[in-house]
Amino acid sequence: MKQRLKRFLSVSLLAGLLAACATSDVPPAGGPSGGTSSAGGAAVPAADGPLNVPSLSSLPDSAPRQLAGRYARAAWTDMPGWSNDELSEFWPLFLRNCKGLMRPTSGNLAVPARATPRAWQPVCAAAADASRAPAAGDGAAVRRFLQAYLQPWRVNAADGQPASNTVTGYYEPLVSASRRRGGAYQWPLYAVPSDLLTVDLGSIYPDLAGKRVRGKLEGSRVVPYDTRAAIESGDRKPPVIVWVNDPVDNFFLQVQGSGRVQLTDGPDSGTTIRLAYADHNGQPYASIGKWLIDRGELPASQASMQNIRAWAKRNPARVQEMLNANPAVVFFREEAIADPALGPRGAYGIPLAPGRSIAVDARFVPLGAPVFLSTTMPGSQSPLQRLVFAQDTGTAITGAARADFYWGSGEEAGAMAGRMKQRGQMWLLWPKQAGEPSAR
């Protein structure tokens, strides 16, 4: 297929595709993060079982990735609230994150930058050594371990001053659905269509390294993939995984990029599954809230999920029209929920931990890096100062110190995420022996 595409793709066609198709591996979303994404083809580490750390000599390396961030060495006391963060339940998450850090990198510039595995090998080796590792439930011992092996680096802006940026929140929605269409269950969530092409432009034109587009073949031409309206009105639709009973729930699950689905009808009734991000149609996201505002259907001050849902109930004949205002469609894959306490896998391939995972711009914070985040609670000035992991990315998460805080699953998490639009700063925690943060 790649050779066939090389014959058909021309410079003018690429220009058109770049204008019409998304070039990111995360869903084109309008929520805070744009949802979560798959690990870009990297091997996914097991969430359970012991941490196995390869020797430094056997851990392969790839070419360094250029980071856009500027970093200044800091002291632990520079991080506000560091000594107050309760770390008694943090150690299992640190070990799980090390499993991701010890994966060899592929060198593929189309996937987000990752923390350099060889830089982290000595730290993860110490974490796996019972004689050096802290007891899992001993928060003070965990803090001592981190301070012994890691060095804080403040994330700065281009002017050399501490970067301050927006911190939003995201969550994993819970929706009701059925395996079969009928009654209220009319709103499909799709698997990846068989005719969707993902083109790695860097493999064809080196100047476009790191860029990907989505499309499909029409005869001998690659064209942008169908919009939402085209998919819904066409005769050939992607395979449906489930049918949701509410169009707004369906839409916002796509905005978040993954979600839990409670099957409330049919042979699997009573079962809860996860739909994880698998791909998207490459079309740009457009806000249905803005669509309603622009048409005078809702005032800007009332364009909330609750009011959008109420509008849909008052205007059932126009719901599809509203949804079609957003041409982007996210495609999913079904997963079992092994641990209800953990979220979906983010762009780093590790299950997200509520309150301990963030989405970042990997040009400034490589995936897998521990980050101390200093911000405030949603809609308040109460401090939220916490050690988290950079484990996800999102289309709207761009710039130094920009973050999206993962709150977990369900209504309460959704309420926290929906209210969160704070300012924050961050510090990367990096192995002492490795110098300034680096990426692969």
Side-chain angles (χ1 to χ4, degrees):
M1 177 60 75
K2 184 181 290 186
Q3 294 302 319
R4 187 179 183 189
L5 288 174
K6 283 183 177 181
R7 291 199 299 271
F8 294 141
L9 283 169
S10 65
V11 173
S12 60
L13 174 58
L14 285 176
L17 278 172
L18 283 170
C21 301
T23 58
S24 168
D25 275 335
V26 293
S33 73
T36 57
S37 70
S38 65
V44 175
D48 300 315
L51 168 63
N52 295 312
V53 180
S55 66
L56 194 59
S57 60
S58 66
L59 187 61
D61 202 2
S62 56
R65 299 274 293 268
Q66 183 81 31
L67 286 173
R70 299 191 178 192
Y71 313 100
R73 190 185 296 269
W76 292 96
T77 53
D78 293 338
M79 302 189 304
W82 161 247
S83 61
N84 298 325
D85 189 10
E86 177 53 61
L87 300 177
S88 59
E89 298 181 359
F90 185 80
W91 191 245
L93 304 178
F94 187 86
L95 295 178
R96 182 178 290 114
N97 192 70
C98 258
K99 295 176 186 179
L101 287 166
M102 290 301 94
R103 292 174 298 177
T105 52
S106 66
N108 184 354
L109 298 180
V111 300
R114 284 176 44 199
T116 304
R118 290 176 63 85
W120 279 92
Q121 192 275 346
V123 177
C124 291
D129 183 347
S131 66
R132 292 184 286 173
D138 188 341
V142 171
R143 197 182 318 275
R144 288 193 297 269
F145 178 94
L146 297 175
Q147 293 181 168
Y149 286 93
L150 303 180
Q151 166 66 46
W153 292 83
R154 187 183 64 203
V155 179
N156 282 347
D159 60 3
Q161 297 302 307
S164 178
N165 210 331
T166 304
V167 180
T168 47
Y170 69 116
Y171 76 111
E172 187 179 29
L174 174 65
V175 303
S176 296
S178 174
R179 297 278 191 190
R180 59 195 181 191
R181 186 177 192 177
Y185 301 97
Q186 296 292 327
W187 306 99
L189 290 172
Y190 294 116
V192 179
S194 60
D195 59 344
L196 177 68
L197 300 178
T198 300
V199 184
D200 182 355
L201 300 182
S203 67
I204 305 169
Y205 297 102
D207 289 346
L208 297 176
K211 300 291 185 181
R212 288 182 177 181
V213 295
R214 271 83 174 172
K216 65 177 183 178
L217 282 175
E218 281 190 358
S220 62
R221 298 174 58 245
V222 178
V223 299
Y225 201 77
D226 294 340
T227 64
R228 179 183 299 272
I231 289 173
E232 296 305 328
S233 63
D235 295 330
R236 185 180 178 185
K237 291 181 171 58
V240 177
I241 303 176
V242 294
W243 300 89
V244 180
N245 66 350
D246 184 281
V248 179
D249 283 349
N250 178 297
F251 181 85
F252 279 99
L253 190 145
Q254 293 187 55
V255 169
Q256 295 299 319
S258 67
R260 300 188 189 195
V261 176
Q262 187 173 33
L263 297 172
T264 55
D265 182 71
D268 294 335
S269 180
T271 303
T272 300
I273 61 173
R274 171 174 285 127
L275 294 192
Y277 170 84
D279 217 319
H280 64 89
N281 65 340
Q283 296 287 341
Y285 172 84
S287 167
I288 60 172
K290 185 176 185 301
W291 183 87
L292 290 168
I293 294 167
D294 290 345
R295 280 151 186 77
E297 300 290 336
L298 287 177
S301 62
Q302 296 182 21
S304 65
M305 182 191 301
Q306 292 77 11
N307 288 329
I308 293 173
R309 192 189 313 278
W311 183 92
K313 289 182 178 179
R314 292 195 305 270
N315 300 273
R318 298 186 64 193
V319 167
Q320 192 62 59
E321 178 190 0
M322 175 186 69
L323 298 179
N324 288 347
N326 173 39
V329 177
V330 173
F331 304 120
F332 298 94
R333 64 177 182 272
E334 181 178 336
E335 293 182 352
I337 300 176
D339 184 348
L342 292 175
R345 298 182 189 274
Y348 182 54
I350 296 291
L352 303 176
R356 292 290 184 181
S357 295
I358 59 172
V360 297
D361 185 340
R363 299 173 302 163
F364 294 86
V365 179
L367 293 181
V371 174
F372 188 77
L373 178 68
S374 178
T375 184
T376 51
M377 293 292 287
S380 81
Q381 294 302 312
S382 177
L384 174 57
Q385 296 162 336
R386 191 172 298 179
L387 184 56
V388 295
F389 294 104
Q391 293 178 332
D392 208 0
T393 58
T395 52
I397 310 306
T398 58
R402 177 73 169 92
D404 206 20
F405 189 90
Y406 177 67
W407 282 100
S409 177
E411 289 187 12
E412 183 177 349
M416 296 295 281
R419 294 198 305 269
M420 191 170 195
K421 192 173 184 181
Q422 319 299 115
R423 298 296 290 180
Q425 297 182 350
M426 60 175 61
W427 290 256
L428 270 67
L429 304 190
W430 204 255
K432 282 185 176 179
Q433 85 290 340
E436 193 167 317
S438 61
R440 294 293 187 272

